[in-house]
mmCIF file of all heavy atoms in Angstrom:
data_model
loop_
_atom_site.group_PDB
_atom_site.id
_atom_site.type_symbol
_atom_site.label_atom_id
_atom_site.label_comp_id
_atom_site.label_asym_id
_atom_site.label_seq_id
_atom_site.Cartn_x
_atom_site.Cartn_y
_atom_site.Cartn_z
ATOM 1 N N LYS A 597 15.094 15.727 -4.691
ATOM 2 C CA LYS A 597 16.165 15.363 -5.757
ATOM 3 C C LYS A 597 15.553 15.239 -7.128
ATOM 4 O O LYS A 597 16.105 15.678 -8.074
ATOM 5 C CB LYS A 597 16.780 14.053 -5.323
ATOM 6 C CG LYS A 597 17.962 14.243 -4.304
ATOM 7 C CD LYS A 597 18.728 12.926 -4.004
ATOM 8 C CE LYS A 597 18.726 12.702 -2.547
ATOM 9 N NZ LYS A 597 18.912 11.341 -2.198
ATOM 10 N N ASP A 598 14.420 14.565 -7.211
ATOM 11 C CA ASP A 598 13.784 14.343 -8.575
ATOM 12 C C ASP A 598 12.247 14.238 -8.389
ATOM 13 O O ASP A 598 11.835 13.055 -8.096
ATOM 14 C CB ASP A 598 14.390 13.161 -9.253
ATOM 15 C CG ASP A 598 13.959 13.047 -10.730
ATOM 16 O OD1 ASP A 598 12.892 13.569 -11.070
ATOM 17 O OD2 ASP A 598 14.640 12.309 -11.450
ATOM 18 N N LYS A 599 11.556 15.306 -8.569
ATOM 19 C CA LYS A 599 10.161 15.318 -8.297
ATOM 20 C C LYS A 599 9.389 14.290 -9.135
ATOM 21 O O LYS A 599 8.541 13.530 -8.647
ATOM 22 C CB LYS A 599 9.673 16.713 -8.550
ATOM 23 C CG LYS A 599 8.228 17.058 -8.189
ATOM 24 C CD LYS A 599 7.860 18.457 -8.294
ATOM 25 C CE LYS A 599 6.362 18.616 -8.254
ATOM 26 N NZ LYS A 599 5.946 19.939 -8.494
ATOM 27 N N ASP A 600 9.651 14.371 -10.442
ATOM 28 C CA ASP A 600 8.863 13.467 -11.363
ATOM 29 C C ASP A 600 9.190 12.007 -11.073
ATOM 30 O O ASP A 600 8.186 11.203 -11.036
ATOM 31 C CB ASP A 600 9.316 13.793 -12.801
ATOM 32 C CG ASP A 600 8.848 15.104 -13.286
ATOM 33 O OD1 ASP A 600 7.837 15.683 -12.619
ATOM 34 O OD2 ASP A 600 9.390 15.692 -14.187
ATOM 35 N N ALA A 601 10.439 11.701 -10.785
ATOM 36 C CA ALA A 601 10.763 10.217 -10.523
ATOM 37 C C ALA A 601 10.124 9.885 -9.186
ATOM 38 O O ALA A 601 9.615 8.756 -9.042
ATOM 39 C CB ALA A 601 12.318 10.111 -10.426
ATOM 40 N N TYR A 602 10.026 10.728 -8.254
ATOM 41 C CA TYR A 602 9.390 10.414 -6.930
ATOM 42 C C TYR A 602 7.867 10.193 -7.088
ATOM 43 O O TYR A 602 7.338 9.182 -6.668
ATOM 44 C CB TYR A 602 9.573 11.561 -5.863
ATOM 45 C CG TYR A 602 8.902 11.258 -4.612
ATOM 46 C CD1 TYR A 602 9.478 10.480 -3.647
ATOM 47 C CD2 TYR A 602 7.637 11.781 -4.398
ATOM 48 C CE1 TYR A 602 8.793 10.152 -2.446
ATOM 49 C CE2 TYR A 602 7.012 11.432 -3.210
ATOM 50 C CZ TYR A 602 7.548 10.607 -2.210
ATOM 51 O OH TYR A 602 6.877 10.305 -1.099
ATOM 52 N N LEU A 603 7.233 11.076 -7.909
ATOM 53 C CA LEU A 603 5.861 10.938 -8.035
ATOM 54 C C LEU A 603 5.495 9.655 -8.847
ATOM 55 O O LEU A 603 4.440 8.994 -8.612
ATOM 56 C CB LEU A 603 5.181 12.141 -8.803
ATOM 57 C CG LEU A 603 5.279 13.374 -7.997
ATOM 58 C CD1 LEU A 603 4.705 14.661 -8.713
ATOM 59 C CD2 LEU A 603 4.583 13.255 -6.632
ATOM 60 N N LYS A 604 6.404 9.267 -9.776
ATOM 61 C CA LYS A 604 6.251 8.049 -10.572
ATOM 62 C C LYS A 604 6.324 6.853 -9.560
ATOM 63 O O LYS A 604 5.505 5.933 -9.580
ATOM 64 C CB LYS A 604 7.248 7.978 -11.637
ATOM 65 C CG LYS A 604 7.215 6.820 -12.591
ATOM 66 C CD LYS A 604 6.162 7.081 -13.657
ATOM 67 C CE LYS A 604 5.526 5.818 -14.157
ATOM 68 N NZ LYS A 604 4.148 5.780 -14.358
ATOM 69 N N TRP A 605 7.415 6.934 -8.709
ATOM 70 C CA TRP A 605 7.636 5.836 -7.798
ATOM 71 C C TRP A 605 6.429 5.699 -6.760
ATOM 72 O O TRP A 605 5.999 4.571 -6.508
ATOM 73 C CB TRP A 605 8.905 6.215 -6.949
ATOM 74 C CG TRP A 605 9.138 5.313 -5.712
ATOM 75 C CD1 TRP A 605 9.734 4.069 -5.695
ATOM 76 C CD2 TRP A 605 8.674 5.531 -4.386
ATOM 77 N NE1 TRP A 605 9.715 3.613 -4.442
ATOM 78 C CE2 TRP A 605 9.049 4.514 -3.583
ATOM 79 C CE3 TRP A 605 7.943 6.652 -3.746
ATOM 80 C CZ2 TRP A 605 8.840 4.455 -2.206
ATOM 81 C CZ3 TRP A 605 7.715 6.572 -2.389
ATOM 82 C CH2 TRP A 605 8.124 5.552 -1.665
ATOM 83 N N LEU A 606 5.857 6.923 -6.388
ATOM 84 C CA LEU A 606 4.682 6.876 -5.530
ATOM 85 C C LEU A 606 3.520 6.139 -6.078
ATOM 86 O O LEU A 606 2.966 5.240 -5.489
ATOM 87 C CB LEU A 606 4.401 8.329 -5.202
ATOM 88 C CG LEU A 606 3.413 8.595 -4.076
ATOM 89 C CD1 LEU A 606 4.057 8.379 -2.720
ATOM 90 C CD2 LEU A 606 2.894 10.043 -4.120
ATOM 91 N N GLU A 607 3.353 6.497 -7.366
ATOM 92 C CA GLU A 607 2.145 5.926 -8.063
ATOM 93 C C GLU A 607 2.380 4.386 -8.207
ATOM 94 O O GLU A 607 1.489 3.592 -7.887
ATOM 95 C CB GLU A 607 2.076 6.597 -9.430
ATOM 96 C CG GLU A 607 0.758 6.276 -10.197
ATOM 97 C CD GLU A 607 0.782 6.793 -11.621
ATOM 98 O OE1 GLU A 607 1.765 6.723 -12.315
ATOM 99 O OE2 GLU A 607 -0.183 7.457 -11.946
ATOM 100 N N THR A 608 3.513 4.018 -8.686
ATOM 101 C CA THR A 608 3.768 2.647 -8.861
ATOM 102 C C THR A 608 3.704 1.810 -7.523
ATOM 103 O O THR A 608 3.153 0.752 -7.513
ATOM 104 C CB THR A 608 5.180 2.407 -9.433
ATOM 105 O OG1 THR A 608 5.468 3.356 -10.438
ATOM 106 C CG2 THR A 608 5.379 1.075 -10.081
ATOM 107 N N THR A 609 4.322 2.461 -6.466
ATOM 108 C CA THR A 609 4.353 1.681 -5.210
ATOM 109 C C THR A 609 2.867 1.542 -4.710
ATOM 110 O O THR A 609 2.613 0.361 -4.230
ATOM 111 C CB THR A 609 5.140 2.521 -4.168
ATOM 112 O OG1 THR A 609 6.461 2.780 -4.743
ATOM 113 C CG2 THR A 609 5.197 1.835 -2.847
ATOM 114 N N ILE A 610 2.094 2.525 -4.825
ATOM 115 C CA ILE A 610 0.703 2.393 -4.290
ATOM 116 C C ILE A 610 -0.099 1.365 -5.096
ATOM 117 O O ILE A 610 -0.767 0.496 -4.702
ATOM 118 C CB ILE A 610 0.011 3.755 -4.231
ATOM 119 C CG1 ILE A 610 0.702 4.714 -3.221
ATOM 120 C CG2 ILE A 610 -1.451 3.670 -3.912
ATOM 121 C CD1 ILE A 610 0.295 6.106 -3.255
ATOM 122 N N GLN A 611 0.089 1.551 -6.494
ATOM 123 C CA GLN A 611 -0.635 0.596 -7.392
ATOM 124 C C GLN A 611 -0.238 -0.878 -7.148
ATOM 125 O O GLN A 611 -0.967 -1.756 -7.109
ATOM 126 C CB GLN A 611 -0.331 0.942 -8.878
ATOM 127 C CG GLN A 611 -1.302 2.048 -9.400
ATOM 128 C CD GLN A 611 -0.912 2.535 -10.746
ATOM 129 O OE1 GLN A 611 0.067 2.000 -11.320
ATOM 130 N NE2 GLN A 611 -1.597 3.507 -11.200
ATOM 131 N N LYS A 612 1.084 -1.074 -6.958
ATOM 132 C CA LYS A 612 1.633 -2.431 -6.804
ATOM 133 C C LYS A 612 1.070 -2.988 -5.429
ATOM 134 O O LYS A 612 0.757 -4.167 -5.375
ATOM 135 C CB LYS A 612 3.120 -2.369 -6.814
ATOM 136 C CG LYS A 612 3.866 -3.673 -6.885
ATOM 137 C CD LYS A 612 5.256 -3.502 -7.316
ATOM 138 C CE LYS A 612 6.055 -4.637 -6.737
ATOM 139 N NZ LYS A 612 7.077 -4.256 -5.655
#
Side-chain angles (χ1 to χ4, degrees):
K597 275 187 234 154
D598 188 339
K599 186 175 167 183
D600 290 341
Y602 177 82
L603 293 176
K604 185 85 211 134
W605 170 85
L606 191 72
E607 190 185 47
T608 319
T609 303
I610 293 170
Q611 275 172 4
K612 193 163 151 251

